[in-house]
């Protein structure tokens, strides 16, 4: 699918402010890809689609998770997690995306995963720090992102985990695995 057509279709799936966020993620993901050596074309494509299912009704996401056997443990955790794996499914089925790297970057952009690829990290971090984002510590994460992808991403997961802890919410296991693996990598690289 032509990029301009893809953009028009994805844009129709969300309110204007979410599209602005998506544009911020596209710009940031390309900058981070160039900075840290990921493929900027794949980063752009994953960013365009990353929140495609964000505004789908819960029931519609739940049906896809059940009927297409996406990880069942999602249903036991925060619904905010669902749009990422559902988005990857939709990107493949409805938007013709075949590239496994791009699909995985969409799939894991919220939770992270244990062995994140460079592209996964770039898209996940871009989602945290795009210019429209405003949450406690976002400026610190933006500073870290100038020199270390891993340090910035750990700080991003830390802020999410902190947010979940203060609200007495469960933490999805992949997020814990993602954070542990990043810290282990950083220790090895010291
Ligand atoms: O879709 P966005 O708003 O752009 O951002 P996102 O895809 O990173 O979604 C983040 C939301 O997911 C945020 O409100 C926190 C929520 N969430 C709930 N449980 C978990 C979680 N995020 C992670 N990483 N891990 C969880 O266990
Ligand atoms: Fe998202
Ligand atoms: Fe997002």
């Amino acid at each position: 699918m032509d990029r301009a057509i893809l953009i028009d279709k994805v844009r129709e799936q969300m309110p204007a402010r979410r599209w602005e966020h998506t544009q911020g993620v596209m710009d940031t993901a390309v900058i981070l890809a160039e900075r840290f050596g990921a493929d900027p074309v794949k980063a752009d494509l994953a960013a365009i689609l990353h929140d495609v299912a964000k505004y789908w009704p819960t029931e519609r996401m739940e049906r896809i998770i059940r009927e297409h056997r996406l990880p069942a443990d999602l249903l036991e955790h925060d619904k905010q997690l669902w749009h990422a794996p559902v988005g990857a499914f939709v990107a493949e089925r409805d938007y013709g995306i075949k590239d496994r790297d791009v699909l995985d970057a969409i799939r894991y952009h919220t939770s992270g995963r244990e062995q994140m690829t460079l592209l996964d990290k770039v898209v996940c971090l871009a989602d945290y720090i795009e210019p429209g984002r405003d949450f406690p510590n976002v400026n610190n994460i933006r500073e870290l992102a100038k020199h270390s992808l891993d340090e910035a991403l750990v700080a991003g997961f830390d802020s999410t985990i902190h947010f979940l802890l203060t609200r007495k919410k469960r933490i999805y296991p992949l997020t814990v695995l993602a954070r542990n693996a990043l810290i282990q990598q950083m220790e090895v690289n010291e």
Side-chain angles (χ1 to χ4, degrees), residues 33-49:
E34 283 166 353
R35 186 175 302 157
F36 296 111
D39 182 331
V41 176
K42 292 187 185 196
D44 172 68
L45 189 54
I48 292 170
L49 279 152

Side-chain angles (χ1 to χ4, degrees), residues 53-68:
K54 181 90 181 178
Y55 287 86
W56 280 26
T58 305
E59 302 71 40
R60 195 173 175 197
M61 289 194 282
E62 184 172 344
R63 204 176 325 126
I64 286 193
I65 293 170
R66 290 187 192 281
E67 287 179 4
H68 299 280

Side-chain angles (χ1 to χ4, degrees), residues 61-115:
M61 289 194 282
E62 184 172 344
R63 204 176 325 126
I64 286 193
I65 293 170
R66 290 187 192 281
E67 287 179 4
H68 299 280
R69 301 186 188 268
L70 305 192
D73 65 349
L74 287 163
L75 300 170
E76 311 301 320
H77 290 84
D78 197 327
K79 296 176 175 56
Q80 289 294 328
L81 292 158
W82 299 0
H83 72 284
V86 171
F89 177 83
V90 167
E92 185 168 17
R93 185 188 66 179
D94 301 343
Y95 296 87
I97 307 301
K98 293 189 178 65
D99 189 309
R100 190 62 30 202
D101 301 336
V102 172
L103 294 172
D104 282 344
I106 300 167
R107 187 176 345 268
Y108 298 110
H109 86 265
T110 304
S111 62
R113 60 166 160 171
E114 187 160 17
Q115 295 304 334

Side-chain angles (χ1 to χ4, degrees), residues 18 21 50-52 54 80 83-84 106 109-110 127 133:
R18 176 61 48 173
H21 158 73
H50 83 286
D51 278 342
V52 68
K54 181 90 181 178
Q80 289 294 328
H83 72 284
I106 300 167
H109 86 265
T110 304
D127 197 20
R133 284 288 203 208

